[in-house]
Amino acid sequence: MRATWWREGVFYQIYPRSFQDSNGDGVGDLAGITARLDHLNDGTPGSLGIDAIWLSPFYRSPMADFGYDVSDYRDVDPTFGSLREFDRLLAEAHRRGIRVIVDLVPGHTSDRHPWFLAARSSRTDPKRDFYVWANPRRGGPPNNWRAVFKRVGSAWTLDERTGQYYLHHFLPEQPDLNWWNREVRAAIDDVMRFWLDRGVDGFRVDVASGLIRDERLRDNPRFQLLGRPRRRNWDLDEVHEIHRGWRKVLDSYDGDRMAVGEIGVRNLRRHVRYYGNDDELQLSFNFRFLEQPWIAQRFRAVVEEWERLLPAHAWPDYTLSNHDRSRAISRYDPERAGVAAVMLLTLRGTPFIYYGEEIGMTDVPIPAERVVDVDGRDPERTPMQWDASANAGFTNGHPWLPLAADHTKRNVAAQRDDPASLFSLYRRLIWLRKSSPALRRGSYRTIAAPRGVFAFARQAEGERALIALNFTKSAQVVTLGTGDATVALSTDHARDGEPLALASVELRPDEGIVVEPSRR
Ligand code: GLC
């Protein structure tokens, strides 16, 4: 398998509103991100050492869904800066060897996008067919499709003026584009080219398994058993043709441009089809992994199934947190942050870290009067905690979301020089990966382990790394093999470098360990 930056590198997701504010309006911006790049990678092990950034949307938007409602795909929203500031961010990132992928939101636009304004102006407008319109059925919505946001209810809203309903799988302010329309496909290809020409390294593709819906708008089945009968507005076979088209656009550029799809498909047999014949998007998020409870066997089972299903050309990637989900350590328990990090950064696959994960940021309870998201996602989107100053160094103004109460203790500055901190663990893990072909591109093999322990081996070019993760609160003894070894890294940094006998490795509670067998 060809070595590529997106297979071997570590990604870091930035939610631009929350990373760093540079102009005191309380909302993060692109210039703020540029100012903080050294935290991400300054070329030394004092920095996190990540290889690529995924930027959530910063395009022009009325912010009904904080940027996932785009009103101009080719411009930066003034809240976040300007195209010039984007170019500067990209150049500064590239100068540090950091690749940048941007969010592509092809499923829907804002209702203020000029395409939709034109489309809703009359039934005969040339842009009408850019969106999905249908007549009322028995005085109500055309079918029983539901929006993804629970609070929204029906996926249809009546446009009074033209007397038809339009489709929206998220907010009514996010009308769905009609992906049966070839002109829509061409228009989004042009959006991709616009950013690829500017030099971005690729895209994270929003709702990539949605997009295309039953052309006859038939109702969804009322009941499903094991995913049957299939839903008519999700994961249709025809979506793959769209992904193949995108891959062609990516491949028409040099420099190994890539895309990672948000594939909301839990059945891994269906999911694996998104890798196509190495002619669709290069990576795709596996939410089955993210959704597991903290049970070693459960994670092992998902990884094993995924390893079994992936064709030889396909490469996995893993993530535990993002801007839509409760942060992993709040779901699991902060004491497990370290072992979760070891798992994420040692499995076979590209790791995606969510901003703040490296210092153990947790979900922040939001008082009712400060709730701003329609779907309850504010707690995982709070400002990055840089230091102990007022507003954690995030802004001089009033932060758009409240800061965590613990920000005076839990912040980058406080953890930077503490070898026992989570930030230090992340740095050690990432820099260890860089020096280890086995961790970056090695094969995967499960190692039998006692209940509560997930253990596996990675191997490449004669180099081996053995990983053991203790998911429990008690000590566990595991046999990783025969012969001698050394602790390359443990969540307990005092163990680094400790000699071991592979036949009996003792793991402390919540410990994750990477072991290098001695070469014979
Ligand atoms: C994706 C995004 C989410 C957004 C939705 C609609 O799921 O991750 O944040 O609200 O799509 O664009």
Side-chain angles (χ1 to χ4, degrees):
M1 192 177 282
R2 209 161 41 95
T4 59
W5 64 272
W6 50 265
R7 280 200 190 91
E8 302 203 359
V10 175
F11 280 73
Y12 185 94
Q13 179 191 356
I14 292 179
Y15 194 67
R17 294 185 76 81
S18 300
F19 201 59
Q20 178 65 53
D21 177 20
S22 72
N23 62 359
D25 65 358
V27 178
D29 44 48
L30 299 181
I33 298 171
T34 307
R36 292 292 191 182
L37 286 174
D38 278 346
H39 167 70
L40 300 179
N41 196 342
D42 68 2
T44 76
S47 66
L48 198 53
I50 56 99
D51 304 281
I53 302 170
W54 151 28
L55 292 172
S56 281
F58 48 79
Y59 314 111
R60 270 195 194 263
S61 163
M63 305 288 165
D65 188 13
F66 295 112
Y68 283 96
D69 49 322
V70 180
S71 56
D72 184 349
Y73 287 105
R74 298 156 187 258
D75 202 3
V76 173
D77 194 273
T79 318
F80 297 121
S82 61
L83 280 173
R84 261 203 25 221
E85 276 159 28
F86 177 80
D87 291 341
R88 190 159 162 259
L89 165 55
L90 190 62
E92 284 297 313
H94 283 167
R95 201 167 64 75
R96 289 169 175 77
I98 302 174
R99 309 274 186 150
V100 178
I101 69 168
V102 297
D103 221 300
L104 181 70
V105 189
H108 43 264
T109 66
S110 160
D111 62 345
R112 317 258 186 92
H113 193 289
W115 296 340
F116 191 69
L117 296 178
R120 78 185 316 177
S121 69
S122 102
R123 289 201 191 193
T124 55
D125 187 273
K127 285 281 182 298
R128 183 76 171 179
D129 194 43
F130 261 49
Y131 297 86
V132 184
W133 300 90
N135 291 327
R137 180 174 71 174
R138 296 188 290 274
N143 68 22
N144 69 358
W145 296 353
R146 313 287 295 171
V148 174
F149 296 149
K150 293 275 173 313
R151 213 186 287 170
V152 173
S154 169
W156 296 94
T157 290
L158 180 64
D159 177 55
E160 304 273 350
R161 182 139 51 115
T162 58
Q164 283 188 312
Y165 281 80
Y166 66 87
L167 186 63
H168 55 84
H169 275 80
F170 293 89
L171 293 173
E173 291 87 351
Q174 295 168 290
D176 284 351
L177 284 165
N178 173 16
W179 276 88
W180 294 103
N181 183 340
R182 299 272 150 193
E183 283 179 47
V184 166
R185 298 184 186 199
I188 296 294
D189 284 355
D190 283 347
V191 170
M192 291 175 78
R193 290 194 192 97
F194 176 84
W195 292 102
L196 291 166
D197 288 341
R198 282 203 113 74
V200 305
D201 298 285
F203 304 93
R204 174 268 188 184
V205 184
D206 192 61
V207 205
S209 48
L211 302 179
I212 197 152
R213 328 280 178 178
D214 184 45
E215 213 173 359
R216 290 158 55 199
L217 304 177
R218 285 170 292 181
D219 275 338
N220 269 331
R222 280 189 192 228
F223 303 102
Q224 277 185 307
L225 197 60
L226 300 173
R228 304 242 160 227
R230 301 193 41 73
R231 282 157 70 192
R232 300 196 196 273
N233 60 342
W234 200 253
D235 187 29
L236 265 56
D237 291 345
E238 289 85 351
V239 79
H240 296 279
E241 188 192 329
I242 298 169
H243 288 210
R244 285 192 290 272
W246 288 336
R247 178 63 176 268
K248 288 202 183 101
V249 174
L250 293 166
D251 286 350
S252 70
Y253 284 77
D254 54 16
D256 226 338
R257 316 292 174 105
M258 58 79 71
V260 51
E262 185 196 21
I263 306 297
V265 175
R266 299 305 184 275
N267 176 334
L268 296 182
R269 282 174 187 284
R270 293 284 305 180
H271 187 169
V272 76
R273 300 169 28 140
Y274 285 84
Y275 282 96
N277 195 12
D278 201 9
D279 54 358
E280 299 195 21
L281 306 187
Q282 289 93 335
L283 295 178
S284 69
F285 289 120
N286 175 342
F287 292 107
R288 272 277 297 288
F289 179 80
L290 181 150
E291 288 167 358
Q292 293 310 308
W294 194 250
I295 297 172
Q297 292 77 354
R298 297 285 290 268
F299 277 96
R300 191 189 73 199
V302 175
V303 169
E304 286 179 342
E305 187 183 351
W306 205 215
E307 287 285 339
R308 244 190 340 266
L309 287 170
L310 289 171
H313 65 77
W315 186 250
D317 59 274
Y318 292 105
T319 185
L320 288 168
S321 293
N322 67 33
H323 64 294
D324 294 329
R325 308 298 183 119
S326 166
R327 285 180 178 269
I329 69 168
S330 293
R331 280 182 277 127
Y332 297 139
D333 147 6
E335 288 180 358
R336 294 168 170 156
V339 58
V342 177
M343 174 169 71
L344 184 67
L345 287 149
T346 58
L347 280 171
R348 189 181 82 104
T350 306
F352 280 74
I353 297 170
Y354 184 49
Y355 84 93
E357 194 171 326
E358 74 275 30
I359 53 167
M361 277 175 62
T362 54
D363 290 348
V364 176
I366 310 291
E369 68 279 7
R370 294 204 61 182
V371 167
V372 289
D373 181 48
V374 285
D375 202 35
R377 297 168 294 182
D378 299 326
E380 62 265 29
R381 296 176 175 180
T382 60
M384 178 69 179
Q385 296 158 206
W386 295 103
D387 58 41
S389 67
N391 296 328
F394 165 70
T395 181
N396 300 324
H398 179 66
W400 75 290
L401 281 175
L403 282 147
D406 70 352
H407 83 260
T408 49
K409 290 204 205 73
R410 190 184 302 281
N411 60 61
V412 173
Q415 294 190 18
R416 184 172 295 125
D417 301 320
D418 174 4
S421 70
L422 190 63
F423 181 35
S424 294
L425 174 66
Y426 270 89
R427 287 180 291 188
R428 285 188 291 133
L429 274 164
I430 293 173
W431 288 87
L432 176 67
R433 265 181 75 99
K434 285 188 205 296
S435 67
S436 163
L439 291 178
R440 285 198 323 272
R441 55 170 172 269
S443 58
Y444 167 93
R445 179 174 59 80
T446 301
I447 298 176
R451 229 187 153 62
V453 174
F454 179 18
F456 51 90
R458 304 283 315 281
Q459 176 160 354
E461 296 145 34
E463 189 220 344
R464 268 198 309 156
L466 309 176
I467 293 94
L469 310 166
N470 185 356
F471 276 58
T472 73
K473 296 275 175 205
S474 44
Q476 300 277 354
V477 175
V478 38
T479 305
L480 294 175
T482 54
D484 299 328
T486 315
V487 176
L489 174 147
S490 161
T491 42
D492 178 355
H493 74 105
R495 285 192 85 170
D496 291 10
E498 183 185 310
L500 286 179
L502 284 176
S504 158
V505 177
E506 183 167 332
L507 297 173
R508 299 175 187 159
D510 297 317
E511 186 178 21
I513 198 167
V514 182
V515 173
E516 268 168 17
S518 313
R519 297 187 188 222
R520 266 167 279 176

Coordinates of all heavy atoms in Angstrom, one line a residue, residues 67 84 405 471:
G67 N -22.9 27.6 10.4 CA -22.0 27.4 9.3 C -22.4 26.2 8.4 O -21.9 26.2 7.3
R84 N -8.5 36.3 2.2 CA -7.1 36.6 2.4 C -6.6 35.9 3.7 O -5.5 35.3 3.7 CB -6.8 38.1 2.5 CG -6.3 38.6 1.2 CD -5.6 39.9 1.2 NE -4.9 40.2 2.5 CZ -4.9 41.4 3.1 NH1 -5.6 42.4 2.5 NH2 -4.3 41.6 4.2
A405 N -16.0 25.4 33.8 CA -15.6 25.9 35.2 C -14.2 25.6 35.5 O -13.5 26.3 36.2 CB -16.6 25.4 36.2
F471 N -9.4 -1.6 30.2 CA -10.6 -0.9 30.2 C -11.2 -0.9 31.7 O -12.3 -0.3 31.9 CB -11.7 -1.5 29.3 CG -11.5 -1.0 27.9 CD1 -10.4 -1.2 27.1 CD2 -12.6 -0.4 27.2 CE1 -10.3 -0.7 25.8 CE2 -12.5 0.1 25.9 CZ -11.4 -0.1 25.2

